[in-house]
Amino acid sequence: MFKKISLFFIITVGFSSVYAQQNIPFRITKYNNIIVKTLVNKKDSLDLMFQIAMKDASISPDRQRKTDHIVFNKDGISENNTVQIGKFTLNNVQFFDHELTGHEADGKIGTAMFSGKAFKIDYDNNRFVIYDKQPDLEGYQPITLLYDHEQFFIAGDNVIGDQQEEAYFLLQSGYAGGLLYSNEFADAKGLDKKLKITGEKTLKNSSGKSVVTKQGVLPNFKLGNAVLKDVSAGFFAGDLKTQTVNYFGADMLRRFNWIFDADRKTAYIKPSKYFSEPYYKIN
């Protein structure tokens, strides 16, 4: 993994002395992506996709809305921007240009808007909650976080055949599907033979080398004491194998409400209203 450029947001928030929290509304697309409506530099109205696997912000080359007031230098970086999300304001925001994002989004925004605070992804009520004090954890179970290079990793148990295999997964809200396995894990565990394969697609690059994506069904996946059945699980085959980490995608993330502690050492999860919904199908 490559270390990403750190970004520090100065967050100006007025916390209620009673509730000690700030709410930020979002919407969920049919691709399971979280979209927040923003006003950048008090001029550009943009829909930005929340990307939990990054801390910075970025603009997509496929954006639908104008970004006339975000000025990039020759390296494709724009500094000292403000981002308003409702009554919530971020100052000194750094944007990167020409980074692909999810459907219906003009760019991405990362986790720096929660810098130094505990925060909640509340899928039941379509909102983020930023806490100034210890949140109410009733009904939640703790799971250990590995926070590395500003990215979140969790351990989950994969039941493959008669074996239970633990693996670490990167929380990846930009991937619409369920689980996506690294090449190393897929090859070592023989997923091509052990999973029920439901779909396959082959692409070739300019050199004629093939990239094969396969979709399968994992009988059981355990996160903490929560067990999900018949989970959608993808992996790569063919000549080119570039997937270096396992993904815990947006379709899995939405099945829980999440609270992340301020130290980024523990996450607390509770099944959301999407826990038993049908799995997203990768085309």
Side-chain angles (χ1 to χ4, degrees):
M1 290 176 285
F2 294 96
K3 186 171 183 179
K4 297 190 175 181
I5 299 173
S6 296
L7 168 67
F8 294 94
F9 287 158
I10 299 174
I11 305 177
T12 56
V13 181
F15 284 102
S16 164
S17 59
V18 178
Y19 297 105
Q21 67 184 43
Q22 175 79 17
N23 297 328
I24 301 175
F26 60 71
R27 68 178 176 88
I28 303 175
T29 72
K30 66 179 181 180
Y31 306 100
N32 301 321
N33 297 137
I34 290 176
I35 304 291
V36 292
K37 287 190 171 296
T38 69
L39 183 65
V40 180
N41 296 330
K42 300 182 180 181
K43 298 288 185 178
D44 296 328
S45 296
L46 302 175
D47 283 0
L48 299 181
M49 183 195 80
F50 172 64
Q51 173 54 286
I52 196 171
M54 65 181 280
K55 193 175 183 180
D56 311 316
S58 66
I59 295 299
S60 169
D62 300 323
R63 59 188 177 270
Q64 299 298 309
R65 297 166 184 82
K66 293 182 179 180
T67 57
D68 296 338
H69 300 88
I70 304 176
V71 180
F72 293 96
N73 63 23
K74 63 180 181 179
D75 297 317
I77 299 173
S78 179
E79 299 180 344
N80 301 319
N81 299 282
T82 63
V83 177
Q84 294 173 252
I85 310 171
K87 296 180 180 179
F88 184 84
T89 300
L90 309 175
N91 296 314
N92 300 331
V93 179
Q94 189 175 46
F95 277 89
F96 294 89
D97 200 8
H98 287 90
E99 289 191 3
L100 295 179
T101 188
H103 297 279
E104 303 179 28
D106 303 302
K108 296 178 288 191
I109 190 164
T111 58
M113 57 180 165
F114 312 123
S115 184
K117 303 287 185 178
F119 71 97
K120 179 180 182 179
I121 307 176
D122 185 353
Y123 283 98
D124 285 344
N125 297 291
N126 285 11
R127 64 180 183 174
F128 296 113
V129 182
I130 305 174
Y131 298 97
D132 193 37
K133 297 181 180 179
Q134 176 70 17
D136 181 6
L137 299 173
E138 183 178 357
Y140 286 80
Q141 63 165 314
I143 59 173
T144 300
L145 281 177
L146 174 62
Y147 190 55
D148 182 52
H149 294 168
E150 301 166 357
Q151 296 180 321
F152 298 93
F153 292 82
I154 58 170
D157 290 319
N158 308 265
V159 180
I160 304 170
D162 59 354
Q163 299 293 317
Q164 181 168 302
E165 305 283 355
E166 184 183 64
Y168 276 90
F169 291 82
L170 170 67
L171 301 187
Q172 174 53 273
S173 58
Y175 174 65
L179 302 177
L180 181 65
Y181 290 106
S182 69
N183 300 127
E184 181 181 3
F185 186 90
D187 291 344
K189 307 306 177 185
L191 299 188
D192 200 10
K193 295 180 179 179
K194 292 183 179 179
L195 296 186
K196 176 184 176 182
I197 305 301
T198 58
E200 180 176 327
K201 182 184 295 183
T202 301
L203 300 173
K204 290 185 179 292
N205 68 4
S206 58
S207 300
K209 292 185 177 181
S210 63
V211 178
V212 180
T213 60
K214 293 191 176 185
Q215 287 297 315
V217 176
L218 180 71
N220 293 284
F221 180 83
K222 185 177 181 182
L223 181 62
N225 60 23
V227 178
L228 295 109
K229 297 184 179 298
D230 298 327
V231 175
S232 176
F235 59 95
F236 291 92
D239 302 318
L240 298 175
K241 298 180 179 180
T242 58
Q243 187 67 27
T244 59
V245 296
N246 303 310
Y247 282 175
F248 192 91
D251 191 27
M252 297 293 283
L253 282 163
R254 73 182 178 120
R255 296 174 190 276
F256 299 91
N257 293 317
W258 301 75
I259 296 176
F260 297 86
D261 71 359
D263 293 332
R264 307 297 187 250
K265 294 180 179 179
T266 307
Y268 301 86
I269 60 172
K270 180 172 70 173
S272 74
K273 62 184 180 183
Y274 299 110
F275 187 81
S276 300
E277 288 289 303
Y279 287 95
Y280 179 81
K281 293 182 179 180
I282 301 289
N283 294 323

